[in-house]
């Protein structure tokens, strides 16, 4: 089982991007496993919003409620991942974090629990990034540090100069991450997914 | 070059008067006893929730930051304003909770019967827009405002008296379920509760 942790601040477009990634993984899969993709959806509120939307797309979702799985519910994240691995053994497990979660903590927990080191993909909101970075610098930075890729979303809402500025800020925070500019509502180019996922075994 | 955060320290009740423009959300060296942790501290750097910050610096007071390494939240006792994870929200009820990163989260759920989904969608969009305006006017920051509307209609199929024909009947009313989550920063909890309730009221 391989994994992706999809992180990024609130409203950055994680759910929209998740659907694109999940479709890509299903359509390009060469695995004979019954389940190509399963999703763990992490909700910060008491009411499930994102998994309702995702379930409508025909994907199976196991929802964690009320908190950040990397912190207050780390037990449930790892036990859910273990259960999924044991009972379903999908080719890919995607964990969508809450907007105030720390993906690296989740990565460490999962590496220990299911012996898998998931890739970290972070979404950033081009339109609000600089303001969010000023207001919540440590959270935003810590979400980006250690990421394998950052997708700067909503570039249709900003000019090229602003988009480049956001890209530069992200590279300053994490020089080793791959940064791409997208408008998730219009779909994510397959080439981006090819580069992020890499070779399929 | 990453802009250096000024990580100077000051005691909880001490005004910050370093005259430097810096982000007061950075508390990486702030050590406090979580057993007595009051979430009012999350309103910003260390001053009482209703105390003005007079450091004369333009900064946001969002998100008390602390190092999660070695920080055990399972033993963290804090006041969630009586929030009970087992509490089931009543139809149309709104509940507001404070998250550890300073986010206020209003959750609500409403089931309606015999309504037009398009009409509900329009009214919900308008009501959520009003919440966004309210947050902006109050000097807050929107994390995410989101909702789903799902509708179910029931068709009943049954054999009729003849037993060789199946009749299909549509239930007289479809049911619409609205789920709402409002995640915002830097507003009063009571205000967010009121705005969430206004959203629910706008749909009924």
């Amino acid at each position: 089982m391989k994994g992706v942790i999809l992180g990024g601040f609130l409203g950055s477009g994680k759910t929209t991007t998740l659907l694109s990634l999940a479709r890509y993984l299903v359509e390009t899969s060469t695995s004979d496993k019954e389940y190509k993709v399963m999703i763990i959806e992490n909700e910060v509120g008491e009411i499930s919003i994102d998994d309702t939307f995702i379930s409508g797309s025909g994907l199976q979702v196991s929802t964690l409620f009320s908190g950040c799985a990397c912190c207050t519910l780390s037990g449930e994240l790892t036990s859910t991942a273990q259960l999924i691995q044991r009972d379903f053994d999908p080719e890919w497990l995607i964990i969508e974090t809450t907007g105030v979660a720390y993906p690296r903590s989740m990565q460490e927990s999962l590496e220990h629990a299911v012996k898998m080191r998931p890739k970290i993909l972070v979404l950033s909101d081009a339109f609000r990034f600089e303001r969010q970075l000023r207001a919540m610098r440590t959270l935003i930075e810590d979400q980006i540090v250690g990421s394998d890729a950052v997708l700067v979303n909503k570039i249709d809402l900003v000019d090229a100069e602003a988009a480049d500025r956001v890209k530069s800020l992200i590279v300053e925070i994490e020089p080793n991450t791959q940064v791409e500019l997208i408008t998730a509502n219009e779909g994510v180019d397959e080439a981006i997914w090819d580069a992020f996922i890499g070779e399929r075994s | 070059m990453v802009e250096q955060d000024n990580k100077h320290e000051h005691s909880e009740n001490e005004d910050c008067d370093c005259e430097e423009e810096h982000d007061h959300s950075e508390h990486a060296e702030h050590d406090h006893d979580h057993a007595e942790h009051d979430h009012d501290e999350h309103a910003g750097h260390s001053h009482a929730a209703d105390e003005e910050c007079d450091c004369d610096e333009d900064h946001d007071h969002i998100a008390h930051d602390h190092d999660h390494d070695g920080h055990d939240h399972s033993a963290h006792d804090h006041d969630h304003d009586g929030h009970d994870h087992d509490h089931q929200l009543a139809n149309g009820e709104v509940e507001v909770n404070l998250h550890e990163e300073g986010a206020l989260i209003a959750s609500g759920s409403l089931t309606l019967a015999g309504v037009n989904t398009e009409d509900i969608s329009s009214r919900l969009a308008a009501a959520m827009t009003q919440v966004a305006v309210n947050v902006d006017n109050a000097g807050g920051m929107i994390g995410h405002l989101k909702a789903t509307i799902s509708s179910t209609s029931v068709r009943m199929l049954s054999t009729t008296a003849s037993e060789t024909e199946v009749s299909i009947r549509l239930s007289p009313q479809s049911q619409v379920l609205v789920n709402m989550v409002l995640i915002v920063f830097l507003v009063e909890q009571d205000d967010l509760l009121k705005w969430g309730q206004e959203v629910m009221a706008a749909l009924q």
Side-chain angles (χ1 to χ4, degrees):
Chain A
M1 183 171 79
K2 292 172 285 217
V4 174
I5 294 171
L6 183 54
F9 194 66
L10 298 155
S12 57
K14 294 187 293 297
T15 303
T16 305
T17 304
L18 166 63
L19 290 172
S20 172
L21 174 60
R23 267 194 292 276
Y24 168 84
L25 290 173
V26 169
E27 288 169 6
T28 59
S29 173
T30 56
S31 166
D32 55 4
K33 292 189 177 190
E34 181 182 356
Y35 294 98
K36 316 299 181 196
V37 176
M38 288 193 74
I39 295 167
I40 294 178
E41 187 57 41
N42 208 196
E43 295 275 358
V44 71
E46 285 295 330
I47 287 183
S48 171
I49 296 287
D50 294 336
D51 85 322
T52 304
F53 185 66
I54 292 170
S55 295
S57 301
L59 297 171
Q60 287 183 274
V61 180
S62 173
T63 303
L64 302 171
F65 282 93
S66 293
C68 163
C70 65
C71 299
T72 62
L73 291 176
S74 60
E76 289 192 29
L77 168 65
T78 52
S79 61
T80 300
Q82 285 171 332
L83 185 146
I84 287 173
Q85 185 179 52
R86 186 193 71 209
D87 291 355
F88 300 98
D89 191 30
E91 185 186 5
W92 286 94
L93 176 64
I94 304 176
I95 301 112
E96 182 186 345
T97 72
T98 73
V100 289
Y102 295 82
R104 273 190 305 167
S105 297
M106 286 184 167
Q107 186 185 52
E108 287 162 13
S109 297
L110 288 167
E111 205 168 8
H112 181 71
V114 293
K115 309 295 183 275
M116 163 191 67
R117 185 173 176 82
K119 291 174 179 268
I120 293 177
L121 175 67
V122 175
L123 267 288
S124 296
D125 181 338
F127 185 67
R128 300 194 296 167
F129 184 79
E130 289 174 277
R131 185 184 175 206
Q132 289 168 353
L133 189 62
R134 277 196 301 276
M136 306 195 73
R137 177 168 286 275
T138 302
L139 172 63
I140 301 291
E141 284 185 350
D142 212 54
Q143 288 181 339
I144 291 171
V145 169
S147 63
D148 294 281
V150 177
L151 302 183
V152 180
N153 189 24
K154 308 185 190 181
I155 58 164
D156 54 317
L157 300 180
V158 300
D159 58 31
E161 192 186 325
D164 281 341
R165 211 163 48 235
V166 170
K167 192 172 176 176
S168 297
L169 286 168
I170 291 168
V171 170
E172 283 178 8
I173 295 168
E174 178 49 83
N176 295 320
T177 195
Q178 183 63 34
V179 183
E180 300 287 350
L181 307 178
I182 66 167
T183 301
N185 277 341
E186 296 174 7
V188 179
D189 197 305
E190 271 204 11
I192 291 176
W193 293 136
D194 287 340
F196 175 66
I197 294 299
E199 274 192 29
R200 309 287 292 273
S201 55
Chain B
M1 175 84 63
V2 178
E3 182 183 325
Q4 288 292 323
D5 284 330
N6 191 344
K7 296 188 180 181
H8 72 279
E9 295 182 4
H10 51 80
S11 65
E12 279 200 9
N13 297 318
E14 182 184 331
D15 280 345
C16 172
D17 58 356
C18 71
E19 295 177 343
E20 295 300 322
E21 184 173 342
H22 59 273
D23 178 5
H24 271 241
S25 67
E26 179 58 70
H27 276 258
E29 289 140 3
H30 181 163
D31 180 26
H32 52 267
D33 179 0
H34 276 265
E36 299 161 20
H37 188 155
D38 178 356
H39 265 245
D40 281 342
E41 286 184 354
H42 281 269
H45 77 110
S46 299
H47 55 81
D50 57 353
E51 180 185 328
E52 279 190 354
C53 172
D54 56 357
C55 75
D56 292 330
E57 296 304 325
D58 178 22
H59 57 270
D60 282 340
H61 278 230
I62 300 169
H64 173 159
D65 175 46
H66 46 270
D67 184 0
H68 278 261
D69 293 336
H71 180 157
D72 180 10
H73 275 247
S74 64
H76 180 160
D77 179 24
H78 51 264
D79 180 12
H80 272 275
D81 294 326
H83 169 64
D84 177 2
H85 275 256
D86 293 329
H87 168 63
Q88 293 287 328
L89 293 176
N91 193 29
E93 183 184 355
V94 177
E95 185 177 56
V96 177
N97 297 299
L98 178 63
H99 189 272
E100 286 149 6
E101 294 296 333
L104 276 176
I105 303 151
S107 306
S109 183
L110 180 65
T111 301
L112 299 159
V115 295
N116 179 279
T117 307
E118 289 304 318
D119 176 53
I120 292 297
S121 181
S122 300
R123 285 200 262 164
L124 182 56
M128 288 171 70
T129 300
Q130 186 57 52
V131 172
V133 169
N134 293 343
V135 171
D136 198 46
N137 288 343
M141 186 173 102
I142 292 171
H144 208 175
L145 309 179
K146 49 187 177 179
T148 56
I149 299 173
S150 45
S151 65
T152 52
S153 60
V154 177
R155 289 171 189 257
M156 190 172 90
L157 285 74
S158 63
T159 53
T160 60
S162 72
E163 295 185 349
T164 57
E165 290 179 16
V166 175
S167 68
I168 304 171
R169 284 183 291 168
L170 193 60
S171 64
Q173 290 183 333
S174 59
Q175 218 173 46
V176 171
L177 172 63
V178 178
N179 284 328
M180 170 194 78
V181 170
L182 313 172
I183 307 168
V184 301
F185 299 83
L186 286 182
V187 299
E188 294 297 327
Q189 191 158 333
D190 286 345
D191 284 341
L192 183 59
L193 177 63
K194 184 165 75 88
W195 300 334
Q197 289 168 338
E198 285 169 358
V199 174
M200 293 284 126
L203 307 180
Q204 300 181 65

